[in-house]
Amino acid sequence: MRTTSFFTSAILLLSASAKPVLAASDDQCFDFTPMSSVSTYLGATLDYSVADRICCHNHKFAEYKGYLAAPEVDFFGRLDPSVETVFYDSVCGLPLFIAPRNRTFDEFKAESLKHGWPSFRPEEMISENVILHDDGRMESVCKTHLGHNLPSGGVDRYCIDLVCMAGEPLSANDERNEILQYLKQDQIILPSELNTTTYTSSAKQSSGKTSNATAIIISVAVVGLLVAMVAAVCYDRGKGGEIQE
């Protein structure tokens, strides 16, 4: 076997095992930007540039792990542990999640801090306003990137970027209301229509729609191993001459 054919096989294996990463569409967030109030969400100090980049110009990356617990953010320190909180889209102001639901505040907090991002369960999703793609990527009906589905304990767990769920209902004169005209009004839930007492999510406990992050990690590991093997082959070739086919 020649070294070149070995290397070619490694490249082909990477191509076969890694799923393609979707590029951000030109009309993500319908070409709007996050609302300015995101930067002072719940009295915290959030980086607006991060919100704009992650929510509206990205389908792949996230705010850094643990951002919700940064001193200037202190997400859980700003929530009322005695009530459910509604979290809104940072661009169009539609409700996305209600939490904690069917679990305690401490359980919601512990799971989120453990994984590094606000983590929601199916019963906490406003399913009419959130799209869960087959590859686990999540976005709102307003085309705001939200995060990814990373199941835990056999149940879907939505790992969501705080900067993309740090919105509030839009005021009547906000230009972002234009987004709503592109949506099917009978299939979404507006802030004024959400009754948290009676609302029940239709999200499945286990959708089977998960992030391809694991596949990518495995692919990188396999290729890393193959590259190491190629290096070893090259080394042996240098010592003992050309390897016979």
Side-chain angles (χ1 to χ4, degrees):
M1 179 189 297
R2 296 187 183 279
T3 302
T4 52
S5 62
F6 198 103
F7 185 72
T8 299
S9 297
I11 296 299
L12 291 175
L13 180 58
L14 174 62
S15 300
S17 58
K19 297 180 182 179
V21 177
L22 296 176
S25 61
D26 292 337
D27 61 349
Q28 193 172 359
C29 296
F30 288 98
D31 290 330
F32 284 92
T33 57
M35 54 189 75
S36 60
S37 60
V38 166
S39 62
T40 56
Y41 178 63
L42 296 177
T45 301
L46 302 186
D47 190 328
Y48 184 85
S49 64
V50 171
D52 185 40
R53 182 173 70 255
I54 297 299
C55 308
C56 296
H57 300 90
N58 158 73
H59 279 162
K60 178 180 178 181
F61 299 104
E63 65 199 19
Y64 72 79
K65 182 177 181 179
Y67 184 61
L68 77 171
E72 73 276 14
V73 179
D74 187 23
F75 175 59
F76 283 100
R78 301 176 189 278
L79 298 179
D80 184 345
S82 65
V83 300
E84 293 181 332
T85 299
V86 179
F87 301 97
Y88 298 90
D89 189 299
S90 291
V91 179
C92 68
L94 289 183
L96 302 173
F97 302 98
I98 311 170
R101 176 154 285 195
N102 292 347
R103 58 176 172 170
T104 67
F105 179 85
D106 287 340
E107 289 170 335
F108 172 40
K109 176 180 178 180
E111 182 170 64
S112 298
L113 293 177
K114 173 184 177 181
H115 294 285
W117 289 271
S119 295
F120 300 94
R121 293 295 184 162
E123 55 268 34
E124 296 171 326
M125 180 204 288
I126 309 297
S127 49
E128 292 82 354
N129 295 345
V130 177
I131 300 170
L132 175 54
H133 294 280
D134 288 340
D135 64 354
R137 181 173 63 84
M138 299 181 68
E139 66 181 350
S140 74
V141 292
C142 302
K143 298 188 179 182
T144 304
H145 174 75
L146 298 178
H148 294 83
N149 179 32
L150 301 172
S152 177
V155 179
D156 283 2
R157 179 181 63 84
Y158 314 129
C159 193
I160 305 300
D161 289 290
L162 173 59
V163 293
C164 302
M165 48 164 260
E168 59 187 16
L170 296 177
S171 61
N173 60 350
D174 193 311
E175 63 179 2
R176 293 171 185 80
N177 281 299
E178 181 182 332
I179 294 174
L180 302 181
Q181 73 180 7
Y182 299 112
L183 308 179
K184 296 180 179 179
Q185 300 297 310
D186 61 337
Q187 296 181 16
I188 64 173
I189 294 183
L190 299 172
S192 59
E193 298 171 339
L194 178 63
N195 184 328
T196 58
T197 302
T198 61
Y199 179 77
T200 300
S201 176
S202 62
K204 295 180 179 179
Q205 289 292 300
S206 181
S207 66
K209 300 178 179 180
T210 61
S211 173
N212 62 4
T214 300
I216 292 174
I217 291 172
I218 293 174
S219 299
V220 171
V222 169
V223 172
L225 176 61
L226 291 175
V227 170
M229 293 174 65
V230 169
V233 169
C234 292
Y235 178 74
D236 289 340
R237 177 181 176 182
K239 292 180 62 178
E242 185 175 357
I243 298 174
Q244 297 297 314
E245 291 185 321

